[in-house]
Amino acid sequence: MTTSRRDFVAQLGAMAVLGSTLAPTSRAADRSDPHVGAAPPLPWYRRTLRWGQTNITEIDPGRYDIGWWREYWTRTAIQGVIVNAGGIVAYYPSRYPLQYRALGLGDRDLFGELTRAARDQGLTVVARMDSNRVHEPVFREHPDWIAIDADGKPYRSGDLYVTCINGPYYRSFLPGVMREIIERAHPDGFTDNSWSGLDRGSICYCENCRKGFRDAAGSDLPRRRDWDDAAFRKWIEWSYARRLELWDANNAVTRGAGGADCIWVGMNGGGIAGQARSFRDYRAICARTPIILLDHQTRSNAEGFQHNAFAGKLIHGMLGWDKLIPESMPMYQIGTPMFRLATKTPAEARAWMLAGFAGGIQPWWHHVSAYHEDRRMYRTAEPIMRWHRENERYLVDRTPVASVGVVWSQRSVDFYGRDEADELTEQPLRGWMQALVRARIPYVPVHIDQIDAAASAMSVLILPNLGALADAQVAAIRRFVERGGALIATGQTSLFDEWGDARPDFALGDLFGVSRAGSAAPVRATPERLRAAAAQTYLRLTPELRARVDGPHVADEPRPTDTRHPVLAGFDQTDILAYGGALEPLRVATGARVLATFIPAFPAFPPETAWMREPRTDLPGLVVNEQGGRRVAFVPADLDRRYAIDNLPDHGDLLANLVRWAARDSIPLRVDGPGLLDVELYRQGERLVLHIVNLTGVGSWRAPMEEIIPVGPVGVQLRVPPRATPHVVQWRVGNRTERVAPRGGWLPLVLPQVREHELAVIE
Ligand SMILES: [Zn+2]
């Protein structure tokens, strides 16, 4: 598959007609026309860029107007459809009586009819299963297919029964169903909505799990959830392994019956904690699939639209930037509140889609039900899907231009974050994402076990409270610094091992320039401890510049001998910053410099009592360690988490300052202008592709967004090679082309206005 395209591109090169800058265009053309050139066609999972899904409800067989939907497929320029086949509800007359048929289906083959209609229009067809639950008659006949709780009762979800991924339902019944679907309709591939079964909140004690775990681990299943218990830890790892094995087994079934390209691709999520909860090892999954079908349907108020670009970059980082990540994008009101049959505000739907494009995600409109009385939802996708078709060559097959990597670890989410991953691992990561987007600093997420591979492109790595690190991971971080990379770490980074057990001291303490004071073992932060610490605390910036209080005397003269570190730029008019967390004593190594110290909490009410009881301590909140030209910053203060929670601009500014200092002059672009903009930069051959997504609007912080407010002018400077030839810049939304001359190694661009987004193609 990969080979065919490589050969095709090589062939183009040999023809020497098009030149290197046009090669990516040709590759995109290669995707959209599977029969171009002499090369064999690309498989569906490499060429299908735009998708649609009408998630069929049980009563739809009586009202599915296939002719109308065919016309909608054409209007929205899709190239593939996802069609409900079997699982919880079957939409074809299965030979298996236990497959519950949709109401009123009778002997109609709705799945087959839709498949033929889609084929007739040249569309890819993926059969959708939902294997997680079954109706009561299945439980009565096959109780061993159902997951069992510690009391021996079946796990239920409403009226339905939850199936166990280790039982015969997954391992023999569903394979039979998939083979039947392939025989009848020959779909291109399969997906499954909730394939990974029970999440880690629930242990299954069915006979298959008991035996399987005993055989694999040599002990009985854990009796309860306890992260410090060896059996529970083994159960976590075993559960991950079972899902990877299921992924491979399903692929063996579908490829065996349907051919090499008839792959099975379970849906995956866009958040790391969610993947961890579901036992989906994201990196291992990306290693065994050529496409990710992404179930990440909306922003949360905590994450914002920018999380979609983040998710795209996170997954491409593992999957490769030449692969596709179509994402289910609802046209109805999803999230809180949930109204499956009401139109999502177009501004909200479109902002999510555009942020996804900026992260390398492909669009996939999603409707629940084949019939709607709120017909406004049919108008949202069309213009944006058509824009995507016109610009598709610039939206795939490209690599990010970024010198800042934000390191993440699913293992640390599990064994350090445990049941508090949102507070301990997600919030710090989210704080960095927000700070970098707000500062318009291009970044990519970097998987902890891919540091060596990513290192050559990165000048800075950020470790957002990566509590649990294995020795090998610590060694990879050290190698990065030894090769001249800069490091920023926060909170409890490197204080625990890969099981979340305390180390005697920070494993990276020598780089951070700190070591623990006192002999007590480190204690994992917990939400309770964090909440208890969340009070009116401050950081004192050092050196202080003004307003030193000595008894009743206030000296308000600047002290010119003191100079502040560049990390504190912009804070010249203050000696304190709001903080909101707690700090512990640390020993600071010779040569390391403390830029901020802790001011303990004092009352906020009544106002008369709001004065600092202890204005100065020596508890470090921010330490920079510049040794032998290397730049390392350690931030014991959890400012990244605080920024995610409190959204105080000072925290975002300080985090951005740290990155700019650590990155020296490696940040490839500068953006000036108002508003919240997600700016993403890519290289495509010799060409640069710049996305600017405007997230400034009415409701841009709290869903749903009802109106996007245009911003501008926006000035963008892009770093270009020193040779001073003018560049041709195409604005693919504003529809204009201009020639721009570089100045001093930077290409200055000006956008008078950005409405929803802009895409610049720079040759
Ligand atoms: Zn089980």
Side-chain angles (χ1 to χ4, degrees):
M1 308 143 230
T2 320
T3 327
S4 71
R5 186 161 84 212
R6 212 179 287 131
D7 291 347
F8 175 67
V9 173
Q11 207 180 345
L12 279 180
M15 285 158 68
V17 212
L18 295 173
S20 60
T21 56
L22 290 183
T25 314
S26 310
R27 292 202 296 180
D30 182 23
R31 282 189 194 281
S32 44
D33 179 359
H35 303 295
V36 73
L42 282 171
W44 64 268
Y45 44 82
R46 302 298 290 274
R47 68 169 190 263
T48 313
L49 300 181
R50 285 173 300 283
W51 294 80
Q53 180 188 6
T54 308
N55 209 325
I56 314 174
T57 64
E58 288 184 76
I59 67 161
D60 284 344
R63 61 184 190 178
Y64 202 124
D65 184 345
I66 295 180
W68 187 92
W69 283 98
R70 287 184 66 151
E71 197 252 332
Y72 186 64
W73 295 344
T74 306
R75 277 199 286 128
T76 53
I78 60 169
Q79 298 167 309
V81 286
I82 290 154
V83 185
N84 303 58
I88 294 175
V89 177
Y91 291 94
Y92 70 96
S94 173
R95 80 166 85 100
Y96 297 98
L98 285 178
Q99 266 221 100
Y100 172 91
R101 282 190 201 178
L103 298 170
L105 183 75
D107 285 328
R108 185 179 175 190
D109 182 3
L110 181 58
F111 170 73
E113 288 173 40
L114 285 164
T115 301
R116 282 188 292 279
R119 290 258 183 265
D120 198 40
Q121 289 189 212
L123 305 184
T124 299
V125 178
V126 165
R128 176 191 183 274
M129 310 283 291
D130 199 328
S131 53
N132 184 231
R133 275 155 274 192
V134 292
H135 291 79
E136 183 161 355
V138 182
F139 167 66
R140 297 279 163 232
E141 199 163 323
H142 294 285
D144 58 322
W145 291 5
I146 308 301
I148 301 294
D149 69 15
D151 299 327
K153 295 200 183 70
Y155 280 104
R156 298 186 64 167
S157 170
D159 292 341
L160 303 177
Y161 290 76
V162 178
T163 47
C164 174
I165 71 138
N166 295 314
Y169 180 71
Y170 275 81
R171 304 297 171 145
S172 56
F173 180 76
L174 284 179
V177 169
M178 290 192 283
R179 286 191 197 98
E180 178 186 59
I181 290 167
I182 291 170
E183 273 167 34
R184 293 179 61 100
H186 308 286
D188 291 285
F190 280 80
T191 188
D192 195 311
N193 185 45
S194 43
W195 59 277
S196 51
L198 280 178
D199 71 20
R200 74 172 187 209
S202 306
I203 302 173
C204 176
Y205 295 93
C206 81
E207 197 45 48
N208 296 295
C209 286
R210 285 171 184 277
K211 181 174 186 314
F213 185 75
R214 201 180 303 116
D215 291 350
S219 68
D220 286 338
L221 284 165
R223 292 310 300 168
R224 59 192 178 84
R225 298 171 42 72
D226 176 1
W227 289 92
D228 293 321
D229 171 37
F232 183 76
R233 291 175 174 186
K234 275 186 198 165
W235 177 74
I236 294 285
E237 294 198 321
W238 176 76
S239 299
Y240 269 114
R242 296 299 294 173
R243 277 139 186 98
L244 292 176
E245 183 205 37
L246 177 66
W247 188 288
D248 294 341
N250 282 338
N251 271 282
V253 169
T254 57
R255 298 178 76 181
D261 288 332
C262 188
I263 58 171
W264 179 95
V265 191
M267 302 253 202
N268 281 285
I272 301 158
Q275 290 288 98
R277 261 195 311 279
S278 310
F279 295 119
R280 298 170 181 173
D281 181 336
Y282 227 152
R283 184 156 181 253
I285 288 170
C286 286
R288 57 201 352 104
T289 184
I291 184 172
I292 287 288
L293 296 175
L294 188 56
D295 185 3
H296 186 43
Q297 302 195 348
T298 192
R299 49 96 170 230
S300 66
N301 288 325
E303 290 170 337
F305 299 101
Q306 50 271 40
H307 197 269
N308 214 18
F310 170 86
K313 294 191 290 184
L314 176 106
I315 300 163
H316 275 301
M318 298 176 282
L319 187 67
W321 282 91
D322 55 340
K323 310 278 183 19
L324 301 178
I325 310 175
E327 176 189 77
S328 171
M329 296 166 165
M331 299 295 116
Y332 54 85
Q333 173 57 39
I334 194 170
T336 312
M338 172 86 87
F339 290 102
R340 296 277 204 190
L341 303 180
T343 300
K344 192 178 204 175
T345 67
E348 176 82 17
R350 289 166 63 92
W352 184 247
M353 296 175 88
L354 293 169
F357 296 175
I361 282 173
Q362 288 75 49
W364 154 6
W365 54 247
H366 185 238
H367 296 280
V368 168
S369 175
Y371 179 78
H372 292 102
E373 292 168 280
D374 185 346
R375 297 170 297 280
R376 295 172 297 178
M377 70 176 76
Y378 297 139
R379 301 169 66 171
T380 306
E382 184 178 337
I384 206 164
M385 298 294 267
R386 287 172 174 269
W387 182 87
H388 189 278
R389 180 175 61 188
E390 284 156 24
N391 292 281
E392 63 182 35
R393 74 189 63 179
Y394 307 118
L395 303 175
V396 292
D397 287 321
R398 54 195 196 168
T399 50
V401 182
S403 59
V404 176
V406 181
V407 181
W408 65 280
S409 159
Q410 190 161 339
R411 179 99 194 178
S412 190
V413 170
D414 281 325
F415 288 101
Y416 172 72
R418 303 189 174 184
D419 295 327
E420 295 92 27
D422 192 58
E423 289 89 347
L424 296 194
T425 62
E426 296 287 87
Q427 285 172 356
L429 182 61
R430 197 181 295 150
W432 278 109
M433 175 191 78
Q434 302 292 6
L436 292 164
V437 169
R438 175 172 170 274
R440 293 96 176 240
I441 297 175
Y443 74 95
V444 286
V446 174
H447 189 282
I448 182 74
D449 294 323
Q450 294 182 314
I451 286 179
D452 285 330
S456 63
M458 297 292 124
S459 62
V460 184
L461 288 182
I462 297 168
L463 313 179
N465 202 31
L466 282 183
L469 289 178
D471 289 347
Q473 295 167 339
V474 169
I477 294 165
R478 288 185 178 286
R479 281 194 295 277
F480 175 77
V481 175
E482 278 156 19
R483 291 179 201 135
L487 202 63
I488 303 169
T490 65
Q492 295 194 309
T493 294
S494 85
L495 202 45
F496 301 85
D497 67 13
E498 70 268 36
W499 296 105
D501 291 331
R503 294 174 179 275
D505 206 333
F506 295 97
L508 293 166
D510 56 325
L511 294 179
F512 297 167
V514 303
S515 56
R516 297 191 71 247
S519 56
V523 179
R524 252 177 81 253
T526 63
E528 296 70 38
R529 288 164 63 89
L530 293 170
R531 271 193 293 274
Q536 193 190 188
T537 63
Y538 291 78
L539 293 176
R540 178 167 301 284
L541 306 182
T542 57
E544 295 165 50
L545 295 185
R546 286 167 187 259
R548 176 176 282 275
V549 180
D550 292 314
H553 175 69
V554 178
D556 197 13
E557 292 303 313
R559 291 178 294 161
T561 51
D562 292 332
T563 54
R564 285 243 178 108
H565 194 276
V567 157
L568 301 181
F571 296 119
D572 300 347
Q573 294 301 314
T574 179
D575 287 328
I576 59 168
L577 291 180
Y579 170 35
L583 286 168
E584 293 176 355
L586 291 174
R587 268 193 285 271
V588 179
T590 312
R593 191 168 162 192
V594 176
L595 303 188
T597 53
F598 187 57
I599 301 172
F602 52 90
F605 294 100
E608 288 83 346
T609 65
W611 54 275
M612 291 175 189
R613 303 300 193 272
E614 194 180 355
R616 286 174 189 80
T617 69
D618 62 357
L619 306 184
L622 168 58
V623 179
V624 294
N625 192 22
E626 301 182 71
Q627 310 276 357
R630 73 167 65 132
R631 292 187 173 179
V632 177
F634 178 55
V635 196
D638 52 351
L639 291 174
D640 41 8
R641 177 193 289 116
R642 297 309 325 170
Y643 187 48
I645 298 170
D646 298 332
N647 199 33
L648 291 181
D650 280 350
H651 294 171
D653 287 342
L654 186 53
L655 296 174
N657 278 357
L658 276 164
V659 175
R660 290 202 182 91
W661 164 75
R664 299 174 196 264
D665 54 359
S666 70
I667 295 173
L669 64 80
R670 303 172 188 155
V671 181
D672 296 301
L676 178 63
L677 307 173
D678 190 338
V679 182
E680 305 287 347
L681 181 65
Y682 294 92
R683 182 175 304 287
Q684 194 183 49
E686 296 290 308
R687 161 194 296 155
L688 290 173
V689 177
L690 175 74
H691 287 259
I692 302 173
V693 184
N694 180 15
L695 301 175
T696 315
V698 180
S700 59
W701 193 247
R702 188 167 174 212
M705 174 117 87
E706 56 182 290
E707 181 186 2
I708 292 190
I709 298 170
V711 298
V714 174
V716 180
Q717 297 199 65
L718 292 176
R719 186 187 294 284
V720 290
R723 63 189 167 82
T725 55
H727 289 60
V728 176
V729 180
Q730 296 178 57
W731 300 99
R732 302 290 302 184
V733 177
N735 283 322
R736 75 196 159 84
T737 301
E738 59 182 335
R739 287 172 75 81
V740 180
R743 282 201 297 263
W746 293 87
L747 193 69
L749 309 175
V750 177
L751 277 130
Q753 192 181 58
V754 184
R755 299 187 72 83
E756 286 181 307
H757 71 135
E758 185 51 274
L759 179 75
V761 177
I762 300 129
E763 317 257 12

